[in-house]
Amino acid sequence: DGMVVVSGVNGTFRSTVEANNGGANSIIQIGRAGTGDLSISSGGLVTTSGGAFVGQLAGSTGTLTPGGSSGGFDATLDVAGGMGVGGTTGSAGGTANVTINSGGLLQVDGTIKLWSLGTLTLDGGTVDANGGFDASVGTFDFRDGTLTVTGGDFLPNAATGDYTINGPTANEMPHLVIGAGARISTDSDLFVGDTERGELTVTGGGSVIFDGRGRIGTASGSTGTVTVDGVGSSWRNFDGGMSVGG
């Protein structure tokens, strides 16, 4: 078992761990075959020139928790390759729990892939998925904060049916940004601000395509916000129409 804590900023200097052997083979493995825990706090920074795998092999357990800014820096994991949660980017593995809290930042240049035993919770922080975000078989608990997807599809878990962007309380608001080269395409309904608050932005040529209904601000007292902005950006639903405010 192992634990690493990266924490703290002193003036313009921040606590930094860099995994870089000069190529894409520099991989961060959190719980490769056993139990591993990486905590990044108070503006700390962890970078890799390759990928990052949490709970990489069957039977392993990996935990990643960035959160807490300091000195103008977010607690950050910056991944130049892809990221596997509950496996690698290509195959399922063990159990993984990734939680991005307020003041936490996860930047991934490749695809973020969630497997069946992988959970990513966004609770006030920021996730930049620059090569797509695939939660088609994993668990994405979108409570609060901002997920920006560019350069690939956003795939929600198909087993959940309708896709809903909705915070658990009135004080929390998940914000999904579909940017350049990204899209959502689903056969289900899309709800933005179902019972509490939620926000969807489509920008930079991104697209949202679904066959079901579009509902914005569904229940009394809820708040749903949708912005479609920029050349080529689009929202299209083909069945069931759209309702705003109920």
Side-chain angles (χ1 to χ4, degrees):
D1 295 356
M3 174 182 289
V4 174
V5 178
V6 182
S7 178
V9 174
N10 183 4
T12 58
F13 299 96
R14 61 197 301 201
S15 300
T16 301
V17 173
E18 181 177 359
N20 186 355
N21 68 0
N25 292 326
S26 301
I27 298 171
I28 292 178
Q29 299 162 307
I30 306 168
R32 180 181 181 275
T35 300
D37 188 341
L38 173 59
S39 176
I40 311 170
S41 61
S42 300
L45 171 64
V46 177
T47 70
T48 174
S49 61
F53 306 140
V54 186
Q56 181 174 349
L57 300 178
S60 66
T61 301
T63 303
L64 168 66
T65 313
S69 59
S70 180
F73 296 104
D74 286 337
T76 302
L77 174 60
D78 190 349
V79 180
M83 181 174 183
V85 180
T88 67
T89 53
S91 60
T95 300
N97 290 286
V98 175
T99 303
I100 315 298
N101 293 314
S102 179
L105 171 60
L106 174 62
Q107 292 180 310
V108 180
D109 288 344
T111 300
I112 299 177
K113 172 64 178 180
L114 276 57
W115 294 97
S116 59
L117 298 179
T119 299
L120 192 154
T121 301
L122 181 51
D123 194 9
T126 301
V127 175
D128 292 334
N130 298 319
F133 187 99
D134 183 354
S136 56
V137 297
T139 300
F140 177 40
D141 186 5
F142 198 1
R143 304 176 65 86
D144 190 20
T146 301
L147 167 64
T148 300
V149 182
T150 58
D153 287 352
F154 172 67
L155 301 174
N157 192 315
T160 62
D162 299 336
Y163 186 66
T164 301
I165 304 169
N166 187 66
T169 72
N171 295 322
E172 298 169 290
M173 187 171 73
H175 181 197
L176 175 62
V177 180
I178 301 298
R183 68 172 184 167
I184 307 174
S185 180
T186 176
D187 295 333
S188 303
D189 296 342
L190 176 63
F191 295 80
V192 182
D194 184 27
T195 58
E196 299 293 348
R197 298 198 299 164
E199 183 172 0
L200 170 66
T201 299
V202 187
T203 188
S207 64
V208 174
I209 305 169
F210 56 101
D211 289 337
R213 299 172 296 167
R215 303 194 66 176
I216 305 168
T218 309
S220 176
S222 65
T223 301
T225 303
V226 173
T227 303
V228 180
D229 177 64
V231 176
S233 302
S234 63
W235 162 305
R236 289 182 286 171
N237 62 295
F238 299 104
D239 185 27
M242 178 186 299
S243 64
V244 179

